Amino acid sequence: MDTGIINAAIEFVKQIFENDYSGHDYFHTLRVYKMATDIAVQENADLLVVQLAALLHDVDDRKLSPETYTHKNKAVTFLRAHNADEELIEEICNIISEISFRGSDSVVPETIEGKCVQDADRLDAIGAIGIARAFSYGGNHNRVIHDPDISPVLNMNGEEYYNHVSTTINHFYEKLFSIGDRMNTFTAKKIAKHREKYMREFISEFLDEWDGMR
Ligand code: ADP
Ligand code: NI
């Protein structure tokens, strides 16, 4: 395998996500890569597997690239071009399939490497950055910020979650507040606790302002 594969992967995702404004920009991938690396060091996980899966985790995303989603064509083509062996490619594709949030159909990854990448991706959806990404996604998808007449729908399965159209505030109840409890590793659980608290304070402040109490 090419020794410069990590740097090549960083360049590859930069090209793909440079002009994305839907909450999946290049810096999201870069943060997931860095966070996954930090968690992997704590967990003694295989760094190469974690880093490649983190860098490639969104290139065949169901929403962004539906035509390559099933077979992870972009990730596989990149890895083959850099002489990764087929076993490693399969391992990385399995991790990418396991980590995505699918409501009650979400899965706990089988390997410690998958657990590290899933935790890193989920950590980037909560806290201050999570708030920013949620409103960026909402604006990008023409979603209203808040509508008190539209209630959140809890415990959706994968298909329901995928097809659900709601407000951005509801997204906090439907996904973001449930993420902290689903972290796999001790390292991520600790970080998630702080980020979740901050996010809950933000929503509470938001709703107080909405009601004219502040
Ligand atoms: P990823 O694949 O990186 O885990 P997603 O594709 O689920 O994330 O979403 C990308 C970002 O957009 C995340 O920060 C997520 O919370 C946010 N997002 C996804 N769906 C919605 C929604 N319906 N309303 C607001 N934000 C959303
Ligand atoms: Ni992601």
Side-chain angles (χ1 to χ4, degrees):
M1 188 167 47
D2 301 1
T3 47
I5 192 166
I6 296 291
N7 285 335
I10 292 173
E11 272 313 303
F12 179 62
V13 294
K14 190 169 188 180
Q15 278 167 27
I16 293 183
F17 295 118
E18 207 150 35
N19 297 312
D20 184 283
Y21 303 103
S22 70
H24 277 105
D25 55 65
Y26 162 64
F27 292 107
H28 161 64
T29 292
L30 212 57
R31 286 191 302 269
V32 173
Y33 160 67
K34 288 183 178 154
M35 179 63 85
T37 303
D38 289 349
I39 299 173
V41 168
Q42 299 293 325
E43 301 291 326
N44 288 318
D46 184 320
L47 276 186
L48 182 71
V49 173
V50 167
Q51 292 179 329
L52 285 174
L55 284 167
L56 299 172
H57 85 274
D58 270 340
V59 300
D60 298 296
D61 182 80
R62 182 172 178 180
K63 294 192 281 305
L64 304 174
S65 184
E67 69 288 357
T68 69
Y69 163 71
T70 311
H71 299 293
K72 313 272 171 278
N73 306 48
K74 289 185 194 167
V76 171
T77 306
F78 170 85
L79 291 164
R80 286 201 181 129
H82 291 273
N83 304 311
D85 63 46
E86 291 299 315
E87 210 177 301
L88 177 66
I89 296 176
E90 200 185 321
E91 201 177 346
I92 289 168
C93 288
N94 283 342
I95 292 178
I96 296 172
S97 305
E98 286 174 326
I99 63 167
S100 64
F101 183 84
R102 295 179 217 124
S104 58
D105 291 331
S106 301
V107 300
V108 176
E110 279 181 13
T111 61
I112 185 62
E113 287 73 25
K115 291 184 168 103
C116 295
V117 181
Q118 186 180 66
D119 280 359
D121 192 30
R122 289 182 172 176
L123 280 174
D124 208 56
I126 61 176
I129 286 177
I131 294 170
R133 290 181 73 213
F135 288 105
S136 164
Y137 181 101
N140 193 271
H141 289 78
N142 295 321
R143 304 262 169 101
V144 66
I145 294 174
H146 178 47
D147 181 342
D149 291 333
I150 305 176
S151 300
V153 180
L154 304 179
N155 303 317
M156 286 180 277
N157 67 27
E159 261 336 277
E160 288 164 344
Y161 176 75
Y162 183 69
N163 294 315
H164 184 64
V165 176
S166 188
T167 71
T168 300
I169 291 295
N170 281 350
H171 184 64
F172 287 80
Y173 297 91
E174 290 166 349
K175 172 182 173 186
L176 305 182
F177 289 158
S178 74
I179 284 183
D181 286 341
R182 299 182 187 218
M183 292 294 164
N184 306 297
T185 64
F186 177 71
T187 314
K189 279 183 188 155
K190 235 173 43 189
I191 302 170
K193 218 173 179 168
H194 171 83
R195 293 189 183 188
E196 188 176 328
K197 182 167 172 280
Y198 181 83
M199 205 167 53
R200 284 186 184 275
E201 280 164 12
F202 167 81
I203 290 294
S204 150
E205 185 85 11
F206 178 99
L207 295 174
D208 282 353
E209 287 182 19
W210 190 278
D211 291 337
M213 282 167 59
R214 279 174 206 258

